[in-house]
Amino acid sequence: MTTKMNKNGVSTCKAGENYEKFQMTIGRKRRTFYHYDYRDMADNGLFSCVKPTLEACRHERDKWLSRKTGGMNQ
């Protein structure tokens, strides 16, 4: 997969969120996915995932942030 969000396999995401929509063929069906990166401003941590919807990506990001802060982001 070619992506504008990576350079030589390393994420180029700045602080905040960055996402890219792409399509893959699985079997005979063409599916749409989102490659989502989020760079935390507090500690420069990087969260990255691929999900079928942007909402699912943001939900996973929120769970990641909650685990990082000990559940205080709920």
Side-chain angles (χ1 to χ4, degrees):
M1 172 177 92
T2 330
T3 178
K4 295 175 244 170
M5 293 174 32
N6 293 311
K7 184 172 183 177
N8 296 328
V10 178
S11 175
T12 58
C13 181
K14 305 275 191 270
E17 74 175 7
N18 207 4
Y19 61 89
E20 188 171 35
K21 186 176 174 181
F22 67 96
Q23 291 187 333
M24 278 180 64
T25 302
I26 301 174
R28 293 177 183 228
K29 293 186 178 184
R30 195 154 193 69
R31 304 269 318 259
T32 301
F33 291 96
Y34 288 85
H35 173 201
Y36 182 88
D37 282 350
Y38 176 81
R39 174 102 36 206
D40 191 4
M41 291 181 222
D43 66 356
N44 212 27
L46 177 67
F47 171 78
S48 184
C49 72
V50 174
K51 298 282 182 190
T53 65
L54 188 54
E55 291 79 23
C57 293
R58 288 179 174 150
H59 179 73
E60 289 298 315
R61 178 211 52 203
D62 292 343
K63 288 184 353 186
W64 176 75
L65 283 171
S66 181
R67 283 193 306 269
K68 275 181 62 168
T69 59
M72 296 177 68
N73 263 6
Q74 294 179 354

